[in-house]
């Protein structure tokens, strides 16, 4: 199957910078926010967003990594650093690609148990095939694709980009 590069490394950086500014604009009154990244690529993007936020603001940003088995999401949502208190804080949940919204909705259901003040979502690529009632607040790129297409985000040293197959 042929791969088409949709975004290169610099374009991904530009999208992440724009998402970071949008997050800052929405949360500039907050003293502290929590950025949650869904493993693997969502966590990579979340860390890049944190670096941007730290360069443009004085908001204290805490990072949480979230792991789940996408085949059994109800049983496997794991928050890796449970020492961070989310109660009454603004939380941003980040993933690489939103297809149906199922990954985000399962993680959101777990995060709600921690009583945050608010939760927003961010994705690098939104495919608009939502099957679950999820709103993406910060989007790097909206892409209309067929259900047969696959979007892959790669962060390998010599192969960074967003690809459509």
């Amino acid at each position: 199957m042929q791969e088409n590069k949709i975004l290169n490394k610099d374009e991904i950086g530009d999208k992440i910078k724009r998402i970071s500014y949008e997050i800052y604009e929405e949360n500039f009154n907050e003293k502290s926010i929590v950025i949650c990244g869904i493993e693997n690529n969502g966590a990579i993007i979340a860390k890049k967003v944190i670096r941007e936020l730290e360069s443009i603001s004085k908001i204290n940003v805490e990072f949480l990594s979230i792991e789940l088995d996408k085949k059994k999401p109800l049983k496997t949502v794991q928050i890796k650093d449970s020492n961070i208190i989310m109660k009454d804080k603004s939380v941003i949940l980040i993933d690489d690609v939103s297809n149906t919204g199922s990954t985000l909705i399962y993680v959101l259901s777990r995060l709600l148990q921690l009583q945050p003040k608010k939760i927003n979502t961010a994705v690098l690529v939104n495919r608009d095939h939502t099957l679950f009632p999820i709103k993406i607040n910060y989007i790097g790129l909206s892409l209309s694709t067929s259900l047969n297409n696959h979007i892959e985000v790669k962060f390998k040293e010599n192969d960074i980009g967003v690809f459509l197959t």
Side-chain angles (χ1 to χ4, degrees):
M1 203 179 286
Q2 184 180 356
E3 278 187 336
N4 294 314
K5 189 180 259 189
I6 296 170
L7 296 174
N8 63 34
K9 179 181 179 180
D10 292 336
E11 292 166 329
I12 290 172
D14 291 343
K15 301 293 184 192
I16 290 171
K17 184 177 257 185
R18 186 172 56 83
I19 288 169
S20 302
Y21 271 93
E22 290 177 22
I23 290 170
Y24 175 57
E25 288 170 3
E26 191 77 23
N27 294 282
F28 71 93
N29 284 328
E30 301 293 332
K31 290 181 178 144
S32 176
I33 63 174
V34 179
I35 303 283
C36 301
I38 299 174
E39 289 290 337
N40 287 320
N41 286 341
I44 292 170
I45 294 166
K47 289 176 184 175
K48 291 177 183 295
V49 165
I50 290 170
R51 280 195 293 276
E52 288 290 336
L53 285 170
E54 289 174 342
S55 74
I56 62 174
S57 78
K58 295 188 189 296
I59 298 172
N60 178 43
V61 183
E62 298 174 279
F63 172 71
L64 274 179
S65 179
I66 298 176
E67 192 175 277
L68 79 150
D69 179 345
K70 293 184 181 188
K71 292 183 172 96
K72 300 177 198 170
L74 274 179
K75 296 181 180 182
T76 62
V77 174
Q78 290 186 332
I79 298 173
K80 288 196 172 180
D81 187 350
S82 58
N83 295 331
I84 293 176
I85 297 168
M86 282 196 225
K87 186 173 179 161
D88 298 324
K89 288 188 182 174
S90 179
V91 174
I92 314 298
L93 176 60
I94 299 178
D95 203 4
D96 58 349
V97 179
S98 175
N99 288 312
T100 64
S102 64
T103 298
L104 291 172
I105 204 87
Y106 284 115
V107 174
L108 283 171
S109 68
R110 174 69 176 96
L111 292 177
L112 284 170
Q113 296 170 14
L114 303 173
Q115 301 176 311
K117 177 165 66 173
K118 69 178 181 177
I119 302 175
N120 285 325
T121 56
V123 295
L124 184 61
V125 180
N126 182 22
R127 290 189 60 200
D128 295 326
H129 293 298
T130 307
L131 299 177
F132 293 86
I134 187 81
K135 178 182 187 266
I136 310 297
N137 303 95
Y138 313 109
I139 299 169
L141 176 68
S142 286
L143 195 60
S144 295
T145 60
S146 76
L147 290 172
N148 296 331
N149 291 123
H150 178 73
I151 300 291
E152 184 176 3
V153 179
K154 295 181 184 178
F155 286 108
K156 295 175 186 152
E157 202 169 303
N158 295 325
D159 196 17
I160 297 174
V162 175
F163 299 88
L164 172 70
T165 55

